Amino acid sequence: MKKTILSLALTTVFGLTAIASPIDGEKKAVKVDESTVTWKAYKVTGSHTGTIALKSGALEFEGDKLTGGEFVVDMTSIANTDLEGDYKGKLEGHLNSDDFFGTATNPTSSLVFTKVEASGKNSYKVTGDLTIKGITKPVTFDVSIYGNKATATLKVDRAAYDVKYGSGSFFDNLGDKTIYDEFDLVVDLQL
């Protein structure tokens, strides 16, 4: 009888402890239809802007502190927003081609956070593994979070991902046909 009571007591104590232990973290899915990713690429004679759609994404938190995140981008959705008509269609087709992102064989890109450090009340310095065209390289950027919104701006060096077209890193004497290697991504997430 004493063994049964002791077993019940231990089961109750350890069972309640297991039930009462805090959750390690919370994963908040990104509302992909309400979130935006805007890109801006630069060339000697100007720049182009556009959008690209998130396929999926989530941020991870412990309490109200950001601890991780992972995202998948639908590369086939790349769109230009500063041109119209034939020029718009030609640029979008070229960006989807093997000269740039080869979306037929690489339809998605991904970003997985590997390190998150608080840098202010609502700000974080994030390092992550960015995969484009099957090539993974680390990137570092800042993330700000306010309620159910998160924003980030990334500079991406396309040469690191074998995106060579018009790049002075790969070709000489391009003159005013040079397209700069770095492009910007501005990300506005709704959680």
Side-chain angles (χ1 to χ4, degrees), residues 8 14 22 53 58 68 78 104 106 130 132 144 146 153:
L8 285 171
F14 288 111
I78 196 163
N106 299 285
L130 177 62
I132 299 174
S144 298
Y146 299 96
T153 301

Side-chain angles (χ1 to χ4, degrees), residues 71-85:
F71 301 88
V72 176
V73 173
D74 177 3
M75 294 302 293
T76 65
S77 71
I78 196 163
N80 169 262
T81 57
D82 67 291
L83 297 174
E84 294 179 1

Side-chain angles (χ1 to χ4, degrees), residues 1-8:
M1 181 75 168
K2 285 185 181 179
K3 283 185 177 177
T4 304
I5 292 173
L6 181 60
S7 294
L8 285 171

Side-chain angles (χ1 to χ4, degrees), residues 6-8 10 13 17 26 50 56 60 76 80 88 92 124 137-138 142-146 175-176 181 184:
L6 181 60
S7 294
L8 285 171
L10 288 174
V13 169
T17 301
E26 177 185 2
S56 64
E60 296 173 23
T76 65
N80 169 262
K88 174 182 171 61
E92 290 173 356
Y124 300 87
K137 299 286 182 181
D142 295 318
V143 174
S144 298
I145 298 176
Y146 299 96
D176 66 358
D181 288 340
D184 297 326

Side-chain angles (χ1 to χ4, degrees), residues 9-151:
L10 288 174
T11 301
T12 301
V13 169
F14 288 111
L16 289 177
T17 301
I19 292 170
S21 65
I23 297 171
D24 288 334
E26 177 185 2
K27 191 179 260 192
K28 290 186 179 180
V30 171
K31 296 175 182 173
V32 295
D33 292 338
E34 298 175 30
S35 300
T36 60
V37 179
T38 305
W39 58 265
K40 186 168 187 175
Y42 306 90
K43 57 186 180 172
V44 171
T45 58
S47 64
H48 289 294
T49 58
T51 60
I52 193 160
L54 283 172
K55 190 170 187 170
S56 64
L59 291 175
E60 296 173 23
F61 295 86
E62 283 187 18
D64 62 349
K65 302 293 182 203
L66 179 67
T67 59
E70 55 185 42
F71 301 88
V72 176
V73 173
D74 177 3
M75 294 302 293
T76 65
S77 71
I78 196 163
N80 169 262
T81 57
D82 67 291
L83 297 174
E84 294 179 1
D86 288 344
Y87 292 112
K88 174 182 171 61
K90 285 179 183 179
L91 178 58
E92 290 173 356
H94 201 195
L95 292 172
N96 279 287
S97 78
D98 289 338
D99 280 346
F100 283 95
F101 298 105
T103 62
T105 53
N106 299 285
T108 62
S109 290
S110 65
L111 174 65
V112 178
F113 292 7
T114 57
K115 183 178 181 182
V116 179
E117 297 175 325
S119 58
K121 182 178 178 187
N122 298 312
S123 303
Y124 300 87
K125 185 176 193 99
V126 173
T127 301
D129 287 336
L130 177 62
T131 302
I132 299 174
K133 291 181 73 173
I135 299 169
T136 303
K137 299 286 182 181
V139 292
T140 301
F141 54 95
D142 295 318
V143 174
S144 298
I145 298 176
Y146 299 96
N148 288 329
K149 294 182 180 187
T151 60

